[in-house]
C-alpha cells in the first residue's frame, strides 16, 4: 500500500504537488537573471524571502508563485529581487573608501587633463556611490569640477529605483553614516531621510548584469565591485574580473569587498603595492 | 574593556542598551538622569556616554553642557540616543558637542555602527 509517497506527503508542512519542482523553478529564475546559484544551504530561506511577495500578490503558496512567475516576466523579476542579497551600508569598510579617495587624488595630479571616472558595480540602494560622492565633495582635490564621474550599476531595477530616489529609512540611514554628514547631505521627510538632489545628481545609475557581459563604455580609474562576486560561480567571477581589467586605465585600481580577493581567481590582477587591499592590473598579462 | 555609561530615565531602555553593549564587549554603568550621570562621570570616567534627551532632574542637553564646563579631565565620547529625531534637535546636539546621534527606536546594528564611528567598537 505504501509506496513512500504518502509518507512524503504527510511530512510536508503543506500540500505541494512537486516541491522540488517549485524550488527548481524559483532558483532557476534567480540564476538566469543574475547568475546566482542558491546553494542547498540557502534553499531553506527561499520560503521566508518570498513570503512577503506571495502575500502582496495574493497567492496562496510558493507553487502558485512559481507558476505565476513563469507566466509573467514582471513577477519573475520580483522573485529574483526578493532572493537577492542587497544588504549595504554607508561608508562600508570606511578605511578602504578613504584609500580610494587618496588613490584618486594622486591620479588627479598625474592626469590633470582629463576627468577621472569610477564605476560602482553592484551598487544596491546607492549607499556606496553616495558615500563616495560625499567623500569627494569634502576633499578639495576631488571636489567641484575635479569631482570624478561616478557610474553606478546593479542588476536589480528595483534597487536602482530606490538608489535614484535617494530615500532611506531611519534604520538604513544610521548604518555607517556619521551624523554630521547626515545633516549636511540629507533632508527629512517624515521618518525617511532623502539625499540632497545635488548629491544624487553626481551619480549616473544604470541597470547592468555583470554576468551577461555588459560593460559601461569608456575606461575607468577605479572599479569597485564589493560583496557581489561572492554570490557568483568561480567561472563567472573570473570572466568578470578579466573584463574589469580591460576597462581599467593604466594605473587604475580595483576594489573588492573585505572578504574577497583576486588571488587564485584570475591572473589579470595583482595586489597593489601602493594601496593595501586594492588591486592593480598585472602589467605582464595586459 | 571599554566602559559605557547608559543614561536614560526608562529602565527598560537601559536594560536593552545594556544587553546590546555587553554583547559588544562593553562594561556598562547606568544613570537615570543627567545629574546622576555627571556624578557617575566623576566617579568612573566612562569612555562613552549613551545619552537620552528628555529626562527628569537634568536633561541630556543640560548634562552635555555641564560636562563640557566641568573639570572632568577625560572627556568621554557622547552619543545621544533619543526619540527627538528632527533635524533641529540633531543640529543642536552637534553644536553642543555631541559626537554621534542614535535615533530611537534603535537596534544592535545601529548602536554598533555609531560606536564604530566614534572609534569605540
Ligand atoms: C550585497 S549587495 C553589495 C552592495 C555594495 N556593493 C556593498 O558592498 O555594500 C550585492 C548587490 O549586487 C547586485 N548583484 C547581484 N548579482 C548581480 C549581477 N549579476 N550583476 C549586477 N549586480 C548584481 C545585487 O542586486 C545587490 O544589490
Amino acid at each position: 500500500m505504501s509506496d513512500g509517497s504518502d509518507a512524503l506527503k504527510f511530512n510536508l508542512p503543506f500540500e505541494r504537488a512537486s516541491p522540488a519542482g517549485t524550488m527548481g523553478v524559483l532558483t532557476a529564475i534567480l540564476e538566469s537573471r543574475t547568475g546566482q546559484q542558491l546553494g542547498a544551504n540557502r534553499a531553506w530561506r527561499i520560503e521566508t524571502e518570498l513570503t512577503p511577495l506571495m502575500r502582496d500578490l495574493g497567492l496562496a503558496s510558493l507553487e502558485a508563485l512559481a507558476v505565476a512567475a513563469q507566466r509573467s516576466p514582471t513577477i519573475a523579476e520580483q522573485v529574483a529581487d526578493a532572493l537577492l542579497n542587497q544588504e549595504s551600508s554607508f561608508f562600508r569598510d570606511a578605511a578602504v573608501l578613504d584609500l580610494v579617495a587618496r588613490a584618486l587624488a594622486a591620479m588627479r595630479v598625474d592626469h590633470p587633463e582629463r576627468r577621472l571616472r569610477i564605476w560602482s558595480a553592484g551598487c544596491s540602494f546607492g549607499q556606496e556611490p553616495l558615500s563616495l560622492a560625499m567623500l569627494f565633495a569634502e576633499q578639495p582635490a576631488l571636489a567641484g569640477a575635479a569631482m570624478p564621474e561616478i557610474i553606478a550599476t546593479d542588476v536589480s531595477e528595483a534597487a536602482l529605483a530606490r538608489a535614484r530616489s535617494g530615500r532611506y529609512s531611519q534604520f538604513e540611514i544610521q548604518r555607517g553614516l556619521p551624523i554630521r554628514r547626515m545633516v549636511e547631505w540629507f533632508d527629512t521627510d517624515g521618518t525617511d531621510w532623502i539625499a540632497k538632489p545635488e548629491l544624487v545628481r553626481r551619480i549616473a545609475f544604470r541597470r547592468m548584469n555583470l554576468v551577461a557581459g555588459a560593460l559601461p563604455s569608456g575606461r575607468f580609474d577605479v572599479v569597485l565591485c564589493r560583496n557581489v562576486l561572492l554570490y557568483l560561480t568561480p567561472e563567472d567571477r573570473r570572466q568578470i574580473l578579466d573584463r574589469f581589467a580591460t576597462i581599467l586605465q593604466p594605473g587604475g585600481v580595483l576594489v573588492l569587498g573585505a572578504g574577497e580577493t583576486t588571488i587564485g581567481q584570475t591572473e589579470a590582477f595583482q595586489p597593489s603595492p601602493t594601496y593595501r587591499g586594492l588591486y592593480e592590473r598585472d602589467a605582464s598579462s595586459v | 574593556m571599554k566602559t559605557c555609561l547608559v543614561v536614560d530615565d526608562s529602565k527598560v531602555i537601559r536594560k536593552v542598551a545594556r544587553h546590546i553593549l555587553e554583547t559588544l564587549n562593553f562594561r556598562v554603568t547606568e544613570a537615570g538622569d543627567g545629574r546622576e550621570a555627571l556624578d557617575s562621570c566623576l566617579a568612573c570616567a566612562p569612555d562613552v556616554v549613551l545619552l537620552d534627551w528628555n529626562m527628569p532632574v537634568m536633561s541630556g542637553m543640560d548634562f552635555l553642557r555641564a560636562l563640557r564646563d566641568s573639570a572632568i579631565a577625560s572627556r568621554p565620547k557622547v552619543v545621544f540616543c533619543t526619540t527627538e529625531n528632527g533635524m533641529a534637535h540633531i543640529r543642536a546636539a552637534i553644536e553642543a558637542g555631541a559626537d554621534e546621534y542614535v535615533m530611537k527606536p534603535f537596534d544592535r546594528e545601529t548602536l554598533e555602527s555609531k560606536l564604530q564611528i566614534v572609534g569605540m567598537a
Side-chain angles (χ1 to χ4, degrees):
Chain A
M1 189 205 122
S2 168
D3 60 4
S5 63
D6 275 351
L8 188 65
K9 205 194 255 164
F10 287 128
N11 280 331
L12 288 171
F14 47 81
E15 294 245 346
R16 283 178 195 147
S18 164
T22 296
M23 288 301 173
V25 167
L26 295 169
T27 55
I29 286 172
L30 179 68
E31 187 175 353
S32 70
R33 286 173 178 257
T34 70
Q36 295 194 18
Q37 297 177 344
L38 283 191
N41 55 340
R42 263 195 75 208
W44 64 274
R45 281 179 47 189
I46 291 182
E47 186 158 353
T48 322
E49 285 166 351
L50 291 178
T51 300
L53 175 61
M54 225 167 76
R55 226 172 267 146
D56 282 356
L57 295 171
L59 297 169
S61 66
L62 279 189
E63 236 179 309
L65 182 60
V67 171
Q70 284 171 296
R71 289 197 191 126
S72 153
T74 312
I75 295 177
E77 177 148 350
Q78 290 173 307
V79 166
D81 275 333
L83 293 176
L84 281 171
N85 178 332
Q86 300 185 312
E87 183 159 324
S88 190
S89 59
F90 290 95
F91 295 93
R92 190 170 190 173
D93 305 319
V96 171
L97 297 188
D98 285 335
L99 203 56
V100 167
R102 249 181 57 205
L104 282 162
M107 291 171 190
R108 178 93 200 126
V109 174
D110 291 344
H111 306 284
E113 74 293 349
R114 63 176 174 82
R115 186 156 184 221
L116 301 175
R117 303 181 77 221
I118 78 171
W119 176 22
S120 164
C123 65
S124 188
F125 302 147
Q127 292 96 328
E128 178 176 280
L130 279 177
S131 301
L132 289 166
M134 287 183 251
L135 211 52
F136 298 162
E138 290 162 7
Q139 306 203 2
L142 299 170
M147 169 90 58
E149 184 183 346
I150 307 174
I151 316 275
T153 66
D154 202 281
V155 71
S156 161
E157 197 57 68
L160 288 170
R162 290 212 38 204
R164 288 190 189 103
S165 77
R167 182 182 282 266
Y168 299 92
S169 73
Q170 189 173 300
F171 283 98
E172 290 167 332
I173 198 76
Q174 298 198 87
R175 298 273 187 279
L177 189 62
I179 197 71
R180 281 186 177 71
R181 287 184 174 134
M182 197 169 125
V183 296
E184 176 163 4
W185 293 109
F186 291 78
D187 294 314
T188 48
D189 179 21
T191 58
D192 284 352
W193 290 75
I194 302 172
K196 296 216 158 116
E198 67 257 36
L199 194 66
V200 181
R201 258 205 311 272
R202 289 174 184 156
I203 305 160
F205 289 103
R206 288 191 208 135
R207 174 155 200 271
M208 204 164 279
N209 181 359
L210 290 168
V211 171
L215 287 172
S217 59
R219 292 200 155 224
F220 289 86
D221 298 282
V222 177
V223 173
L224 298 106
C225 187
R226 304 194 300 161
N227 310 298
V228 179
L229 298 181
L230 74 162
Y231 300 107
L232 304 177
T233 65
E235 181 52 23
D236 281 334
R237 246 181 258 163
R238 190 185 59 72
Q239 285 183 11
I240 292 167
L241 288 169
D242 288 351
R243 278 196 292 273
F244 287 163
T246 67
I247 59 156
L248 269 182
Q249 291 277 7
V253 291
L254 169 70
V255 188
L256 298 177
E260 301 173 303
T261 177
T262 63
I263 298 165
Q265 319 256 356
T266 173
E267 306 283 292
F269 285 97
Q270 61 180 24
S272 162
T274 325
Y275 303 107
R276 227 189 128 163
L278 311 193
Y279 299 87
E280 291 178 2
R281 271 160 62 187
D282 188 300
S284 60
S285 75
V286 182
Chain B
M1 198 180 229
K2 298 222 160 71
T3 315
C4 182
L5 169 62
V6 177
V7 192
D8 203 304
D9 56 336
S10 155
K11 212 171 163 181
V12 176
I13 300 267
R14 292 206 303 269
K15 196 172 158 192
V16 171
R18 168 188 283 278
H19 176 75
I20 296 174
L21 287 160
E22 283 176 351
T23 66
L24 294 172
N25 255 330
F26 279 87
R27 203 152 51 80
V28 179
T29 54
E30 298 179 20
D33 62 61
R35 183 77 251 159
E36 269 181 51
L38 270 184
D39 293 342
S40 181
C41 280
L42 278 169
C44 68
D47 299 293
V48 51
V49 178
L50 194 66
L51 183 63
D52 187 19
W53 193 299
N54 298 306
M55 291 176 291
V57 187
M58 185 190 269
S59 74
M61 205 48 151
D62 289 339
F63 161 83
L64 186 53
R65 294 203 183 97
L67 180 72
R68 205 177 44 191
D69 297 341
S70 77
I72 296 173
S74 62
R75 162 84 163 75
K77 298 280 181 192
V78 175
V79 178
F80 261 106
C81 182
T82 169
T83 49
E84 299 293 355
N85 296 344
M87 196 65 102
H89 276 90
I90 299 177
R91 282 190 199 282
I94 294 173
E95 220 150 273
D99 297 283
E100 261 304 330
Y101 206 98
V102 171
M103 298 181 280
K104 285 177 185 165
F106 61 93
D107 60 2
R108 184 181 195 279
E109 273 95 75
T110 302
L111 214 48
E112 186 173 16
S113 173
K114 294 295 181 174
L115 289 165
Q116 258 165 14
I117 290 172
V118 299
M120 288 288 147

